[in-house]
Amino acid sequence: MKKMVSILICALALMAGHIQAQEVELTKAEKKALQEKIDSIQHVEAVEAINAKKFTLEADQVVFKYGQTAYVTSNTNFVSVNGEDAVVQVAFNIPAAGPNGLGGVTVDGKVSSYEVKTDKKGTIYLSMNVMGTGISARLDISMPKGTNNATVTILPNFNSNRLTLNGVILPAFKSSVFKGRSL
């Protein structure tokens, strides 16, 4: 009886391993094609969100004025546009080091001079001004064709403390950002 049970268990284990191996086998070319389709869909969603003025650029990297780079969390470092309203937030995860309570700055403003252009290669360029109590800056966003990866350069009007954020553009309803206290 013990032999029968152990043989049955071994047979089931072999069958389960064989079934699992069949489910996940994709070639490199298939994986690449699948990733390209996903990137293409995300690009289309990002373009629609930019044109509708309802998007968020969630950044996972900050580049400072002289090229220093910091990797940050994307749900607390973002640029968000919702119609004529914009939020720009940077947070460096330093407790109580900034006015927003997240180790950085959060500023609300109004969008003006919103211009979207596409070059011959399909790269999308968005420029806009954001004016508010705590911000007066020009934001230049670029997003290459076929992806939702983007770069935003924030150029303040009153000083030369340029800041660049690298991340992804998502429709506002897909974004999961956490907004701190604003100025």
Side-chain angles (χ1 to χ4, degrees):
M1 184 72 168
K2 287 184 181 180
K3 268 189 180 180
M4 183 77 101
V5 170
S6 61
I7 292 172
L8 191 56
I9 289 173
C10 288
L12 287 172
L14 287 173
M15 287 175 41
H18 181 69
I19 290 170
Q20 287 178 351
Q22 286 180 342
E23 289 178 4
V24 189
E25 294 296 321
L26 288 177
T27 66
K28 239 181 191 179
E30 290 172 331
K31 287 179 184 177
K32 185 177 178 183
L34 181 61
Q35 187 61 48
E36 286 174 358
K37 286 181 182 178
I38 291 169
D39 290 344
S40 176
I41 291 168
Q42 289 174 335
H43 178 77
V44 169
E45 286 181 342
V47 170
E48 289 174 358
I50 288 170
N51 290 334
K53 291 186 177 181
K54 292 187 180 288
F55 70 90
T56 302
L57 188 151
E58 294 183 4
D60 57 4
Q61 183 183 42
V62 177
V63 181
F64 298 98
K65 182 178 178 180
Y66 296 111
Q68 302 96 334
T69 301
Y71 291 94
V72 293
T73 54
S74 61
N75 66 340
T76 58
N77 292 273
F78 63 91
V79 172
S80 178
V81 174
N82 187 4
E84 298 303 315
D85 298 319
V87 177
V88 178
Q89 175 173 292
V90 290
F92 303 108
N93 300 325
I94 303 168
N100 68 356
L102 300 171
V105 178
T106 303
V107 288
D108 294 318
K110 295 290 182 187
V111 174
S112 64
S113 303
Y114 191 90
E115 296 179 32
V116 179
K117 296 179 183 177
T118 305
D119 70 4
K120 292 178 183 178
K121 294 181 181 179
T123 301
I124 294 177
Y125 296 98
L126 165 62
S127 342
M128 63 181 159
N129 292 320
V130 178
M131 303 281 287
T133 305
I135 189 171
S136 175
R138 178 159 188 81
L139 278 67
D140 294 317
I141 299 174
S142 65
M143 183 177 70
K145 180 181 180 181
T147 182
N148 67 336
N149 294 328
T151 299
V152 59
T153 302
I154 303 167
L155 302 162
N157 293 335
F158 302 122
N159 60 44
S160 62
N161 294 330
R162 182 183 75 231
L163 191 66
T164 302
L165 305 175
N166 297 316
V168 294
I169 292 183
L170 301 171
F173 68 90
K174 284 190 172 183
S175 178
S176 61
V177 295
F178 178 78
K179 183 181 171 196
R181 289 187 305 265
S182 51
L183 297 176

